[in-house]
Amino acid sequence: MNTACLTGRILRGIGGLYRIAPAAGEPVLASARGLLRKKGMAPTAGDWVDYQASGDPDRPWRIMTIHPRHNYLVRPTVANLDGLFIVLSAADPPPDFFLADKLLALCKIHQIEPWICLTKTDLSDGMTDILASYRPVGCHLLETSPEDESGLAGLKDWLAGRTACLAGQSGVGKSTLLNRLCGEDIMPVGDLSEKIGRGRHTTREVVFFPCAGGYLADTPGFSSLELDELGVDGRDLPLGYPEMLEAAEHCRFSGCRHLGELGCAVPASGIDPERLARYRTLRKQLDIMGPNTPRRSSSDTWI
């Protein structure tokens, strides 16, 4: 039996089995080495791993080591992302800008390139510029509807050779967007629940699919996302508001939290008032709570 280690990337993990894409050939199924489980080192979608033949016909491969992660998100649980597509809906459900701001902060903290994607633009009568507050942020913005394929071209070009996830509320159209990008119906699409006003969950875990020369995953929809539970504290939060960072250099005091302190330069900088209000709400919450989960270092070695 050939026991040489091969290297591949985890596309999905469920029930103790992991689907791994090798450098060449078809994906394989592997279990995790017992030592990894004992040390609490759970492989996750997006991980690069070394694996070898196990001799077990039911679990023919075994993951031996997990490569150091470039980044790691607890929610959605995924590793080594190049990009995150933050999906908002122009219609039902109404856009959750607090959630978008939180995800944007996670992107900046973990060095993930963010896109903000607005779906269902055909359903919003007399639509104003819903993404206006994000235009000064400097991230990619995309507006799309089922009849408009032109806006997807740039996203597909960017995805080539990269790995990304879709994230957002249930019912905003993440699975639909993934199907359109990949050119086939690979994920089920749910309807909006009239009773609760949210989308029915059609995605249960992170699953990566080959897409436009890269890999793209749908993720379960969010009903809430608490930054303090993800190891984020108030000092991290301004990274998610890059349009205020330059203005912050002109604040009177170096430790300014931009909550209305004397001499704060941020309010007069032209930042969108609603973005600033959301920042202040989140900053106050984080300063009170503090981080509850230590952030993993990107240099952690998993063996």
Side-chain angles (χ1 to χ4, degrees), residues 183-196:
E184 55 183 319
D185 291 338
I186 57 178
M187 290 296 292
V189 177
D191 299 321
L192 193 72
S193 168
E194 294 181 2
K195 182 176 181 180
I196 62 175

Side-chain angles (χ1 to χ4, degrees), residues 8-14 17-23 25-30 43-49 51 63 77-81 162-165 178 187 203 205-211 214-219:
R9 191 166 204 179
I10 296 177
L11 303 181
R12 180 185 187 182
I14 186 170
L17 282 177
Y18 301 89
R19 186 174 177 84
I20 300 174
E26 294 297 316
V28 301
L29 286 177
T44 193
D47 271 330
W48 288 97
V49 297
Y51 62 99
I63 296 172
T77 306
V78 64
N80 302 313
L81 285 182
R162 293 186 172 99
T163 301
C165 267
L178 183 143
M187 290 296 292
T203 304
E205 68 274 333
V206 176
V207 184
F208 280 102
F209 297 95
C211 185
Y215 281 98
L216 181 61
D218 196 359
T219 60

Side-chain angles (χ1 to χ4, degrees), residues 116-294:
I116 297 181
C117 306
L118 184 69
T119 62
K120 307 182 186 180
T121 57
D122 58 313
L123 300 180
S124 182
D125 295 332
M127 183 179 64
T128 59
D129 189 355
I130 294 175
L131 300 184
S133 64
Y134 293 101
R135 298 194 184 280
V137 173
C139 62
H140 303 281
L141 300 178
L142 172 69
E143 298 181 17
T144 183
S145 67
E147 294 77 21
D148 179 19
E149 294 292 329
S150 61
L152 300 183
L155 194 154
K156 289 180 179 179
D157 289 343
W158 179 90
L159 188 58
R162 293 186 172 99
T163 301
C165 267
L166 297 150
Q169 302 159 264
S170 298
V172 295
K174 299 187 300 297
S175 297
T176 298
L177 184 57
L178 183 143
N179 289 339
R180 292 175 65 194
L181 288 167
C182 295
E184 55 183 319
D185 291 338
I186 57 178
M187 290 296 292
V189 177
D191 299 321
L192 193 72
S193 168
E194 294 181 2
K195 182 176 181 180
I196 62 175
R198 296 197 303 266
R200 296 188 177 92
H201 294 274
T202 55
T203 304
R204 302 300 180 185
E205 68 274 333
V206 176
V207 184
F208 280 102
F209 297 95
C211 185
Y215 281 98
L216 181 61
D218 196 359
T219 60
F222 295 113
S223 58
S224 64
L225 181 70
E226 302 303 330
L227 291 176
D228 64 290
E229 296 177 0
L230 305 181
V232 178
D233 64 29
R235 294 168 296 178
D236 299 317
L237 188 62
L239 295 175
Y241 295 79
E243 70 272 41
M244 75 163 53
L245 293 180
E246 183 176 352
E249 296 178 1
H250 303 286
C251 291
R252 180 176 297 183
F253 302 108
S254 59
C256 184
R257 297 186 300 156
H258 321 304
L259 297 178
E261 295 93 332
L262 179 66
C264 178
V266 170
S269 68
I271 185 173
D272 181 85
E274 294 184 3
R275 277 268 291 170
L276 179 57
R278 292 196 297 272
Y279 164 83
R280 287 176 168 175
T281 297
L282 294 174
R283 181 65 189 260
K284 291 174 184 176
Q285 292 173 352
L286 289 172
D287 286 348
I288 292 172
M289 298 296 295
N292 294 325
T293 303

